[in-house]
Amino acid sequence: MSDTEEIIRIPTFIMGFDQEMEGGIPKDSIVLVTGAPGTMKSSIAFSCLYWNAIRYGRKGIYFTLEQSRDNLLQHINHLGLDFSKVKRHISIVDLGFIRKNSPLAETDAPLLEIFKTYAQNLKSSMDFDLLVMDSLPVLNLMTDLFKERRALFELLEWLRELEVTSFLISESPPEREEVNPEDFLADGIIHVKMARVQDVNIQRRIRIEKMRATRHSPHYFTLLFQDGEFQATRIIIDG
């Protein structure tokens, strides 16, 4: 890419958040969506696929390892996102089910290879633009992938060769003090956490920790969700 070539950006459709990173995520980036359980990481990632399909007709693949396809669909509909509106643009792939029931399972193929095979086949057949892997730690546990940093590097390079914008969901503690290998290798990191505001109030907050080729805010924002849409607002601290 030349210095003068305009960067195509993929909006997250979190109202008030995209403007904090020049309109969205640079196309074909690999972004970690990280945070503690209950911070709506999976919902954020699917919402991004959903609204990009609705507004721009972009195609997406959601690979799930932690819950079944039916459970994920139930959760999506409960959020107010009508999957029937995007089923021609978004495919949900239950890798756990495939691993148990596909012909590849009989060959003892590692989960990583099953993931790559399905991703490559779907790229050829539907030429999708966006990919979600939910989640990176489960892929780690089931494949012994991250014994060496080299293996993680090769996975991320393989994703770049697909020429898709990838969201890798990962668990992390509320305050991210340790730096993981994927933090260095990913193009972007979006961190979500639960913050205590008062004795009885808990607030979800979201921050862009890193985004290559992007001027972005380093600050946390309050993350709100209502009627199927996310919104990021400035944090108000009562004196």
Side-chain angles (χ1 to χ4, degrees):
M1 179 182 295
S2 69
D3 293 339
T4 59
E5 186 175 346
E6 183 180 358
I7 296 175
I8 298 172
R9 295 190 177 271
I10 305 297
T12 65
F13 286 100
I14 300 173
M15 189 183 308
F17 195 57
D18 289 324
Q19 68 191 44
E20 301 295 338
M21 52 177 162
E22 298 189 80
I25 296 162
K27 184 178 179 292
D28 297 343
S29 294
I30 297 174
V31 177
L32 296 179
V33 182
T34 183
T39 51
M40 299 189 78
K41 301 181 299 296
S42 299
S43 302
I44 289 168
F46 190 88
S47 175
C48 182
L49 266 62
Y50 183 89
W51 289 111
N52 271 282
I54 292 287
R55 303 287 176 82
Y56 296 116
R58 290 190 173 113
K59 296 178 180 179
I61 305 293
Y62 194 106
F63 285 94
T64 175
L65 286 150
E66 298 196 28
Q67 56 184 318
S68 69
R69 186 179 188 277
D70 288 343
N71 284 344
L72 180 60
L73 282 172
Q74 185 179 43
H75 175 67
I76 290 164
N77 289 323
H78 183 70
L79 291 174
L81 304 176
D82 185 354
F83 185 72
S84 66
K85 293 182 178 179
V86 296
K87 63 182 180 180
R88 296 180 60 184
H89 290 84
I90 298 176
S91 291
I92 298 173
V93 180
D94 183 346
L95 279 180
F97 178 84
I98 290 171
R99 189 172 191 249
K100 293 179 181 178
N101 297 282
S102 77
L104 284 173
E106 299 175 3
T107 67
D108 293 324
L111 186 62
L112 176 61
E113 295 307 314
I114 296 173
F115 161 66
K116 285 184 175 180
T117 297
Y118 272 79
Q120 191 67 66
N121 288 343
L122 287 167
K123 181 63 176 175
S124 299
S125 62
M126 64 180 287
D127 193 24
F128 60 88
D129 307 288
L130 309 175
L131 178 150
V132 174
M133 167 56 71
D134 188 0
S135 68
L136 198 60
V138 174
L139 188 65
N140 174 8
L141 291 172
M142 297 181 74
T143 64
D144 291 329
L145 175 64
F146 302 131
K147 286 184 177 179
E148 297 181 9
R149 185 172 173 177
R150 177 70 184 176
L152 177 61
F153 172 81
E154 291 175 354
L155 171 61
L156 268 61
E157 286 303 299
W158 183 86
L159 285 171
R160 287 192 176 93
E161 290 174 3
L162 274 186
E163 297 183 347
V164 298
T165 304
S166 302
F167 298 88
L168 308 181
I169 297 173
S170 181
E171 298 289 331
S172 69
E175 300 300 333
R176 281 168 43 85
E177 296 178 355
E178 291 187 11
V179 179
N180 300 313
E182 56 265 33
D183 294 348
F184 292 107
L185 299 172
D187 301 306
I189 302 173
I190 294 175
H191 182 227
V192 194
K193 70 175 184 176
M194 307 292 276
R196 185 179 295 276
V197 180
Q198 297 171 338
D199 287 345
V200 296
N201 291 332
I202 301 294
Q203 188 180 88
R204 287 188 181 90
R205 292 181 179 174
I206 188 169
R207 172 180 177 242
I208 309 157
E209 286 194 7
K210 167 185 174 181
M211 196 64 65
R212 289 177 180 156
T214 302
R215 292 187 298 273
H216 64 83
S217 169
H219 305 302
Y220 277 104
F221 299 85
T222 297
L223 181 67
L224 306 173
F225 181 81
Q226 187 174 8
D227 299 329
E229 297 189 46
F230 283 97
Q231 181 180 4
T233 67
R234 295 283 180 179
I235 294 172
I236 300 174
I237 301 176
D238 295 331

